Amino acid sequence: MTSAVPASEPLDVIRPMLATAGEVPVDDGWAVEFKWDGYRGVAHCQGRGIRLVSRNDLDFMERFPELEVLPELLRHRTAVLDGEIVALDDEGRPNFGLLQQRNKASGVRELRRTRPRIAYFVFDLLHLDDRSLLSVPYDVRRAMLVELALPGNHAVQVPPTFVDTEPVDVLRVASQYGFEGIVSKRVKSRYEPGRRSPAWVKTPFRYTQEVVIGGWRVGQGNRAGRIGSLLLGAHDGQGRLVYVGHVGTGFSQTVLVDLQRQLEKLGRSASPFGLEVPREHARDACWVEPRLVGEVEFRQWTSDGRLRHPAWRGMRPDRDPVSVVLPVTQQALLDP
């Protein structure tokens, strides 16, 4: 058996490989996975130690103590795993709304007592014992992951991958079960840390967009004196925060109270947006430092670069505001 890496040689943090958005592939050589609706996390396990790191270097272990079992499941081997942290509903399906209940780290005992049920869906193996697997083809990495024999009914699970099934058929099944979409991966592709690669293609059923909160407007009626809507932005190719619209639906009262508490601490006198916000939206706006990231669901982009009919999905503590960018098609509208 290969000897494990000594504890004196800590593992380097590996950034997650990202998928490009696109249509279902029609050529050969693809494996297909369901697209899980949660927080991406790369687990660095060494002996009894574990770090579960988000895309912006947030360590998730305090927030998701259920996953402390992973080193034991690996029999204390050295390994780096890539996967998605999800909250499961009563039917065992990922539910992003339920995951929002864990956006604040509480005591470990309290978190273990409370719903929802948390699981870590592991879909890739990047390092094992003293060997990096980044240059190993996807299909070989997946076979090695399966050989680890992680139990399927635990907080750590290995979801299926479909190699001999047409991607369009997997997409149809994903739709029937209410999943977010699919991710198609070239079976002979290497792992490209930190890169958005065409070797992985994500095909979602609905549009979502990460957004930076740049301000808010006071509501009316039962929201008088409180948040009525959030003013949202994303960065263009020049690094400017561009206004993409406002959202006033999809919030629970608890979320609104918590959001207002956070935003009032971030107040500033001038707009953080690099381009002018339309007057009707900027009027009476309460501007804030652009430090909080959220996610919205929407129907489409309008011709003037706004989100059509957005609804709030939740906060994204696993995202750095700088990483929130406009889609390429929307950045093209801003080019001179």
Side-chain angles (χ1 to χ4, degrees), residues 57-85:
D57 296 332
L58 175 69
D59 194 332
F60 279 131
M61 289 313 302
E62 184 178 359
R63 190 165 300 177
F64 302 107
E66 297 94 334
L67 306 183
E68 292 173 357
V69 70
L70 184 52
E72 182 179 345
L73 298 179
L74 290 168
R75 295 173 294 279
H76 305 123
R77 298 174 71 177
T78 295
V80 179
L81 307 170
D82 188 6
E84 194 91 357
I85 303 169

Side-chain angles (χ1 to χ4, degrees), residues 165-184:
T165 306
E166 292 294 332
V168 67
D169 293 332
V170 182
L171 186 67
R172 189 178 302 112
V173 173
S175 175
Q176 293 172 349
Y177 281 88
F179 295 138
E180 191 182 16
I182 63 171
V183 180
S184 304

Side-chain angles (χ1 to χ4, degrees), residues 207 244 246-249 296-302 306-312:
Y207 296 104
V244 297
H246 65 283
V247 61
T249 62
V296 295
E297 183 175 336
F298 66 105
R299 289 189 181 179
Q300 64 184 114
W301 289 95
T302 66
R306 304 285 187 262
L307 299 165
R308 185 184 298 277
H309 301 306
W312 186 252

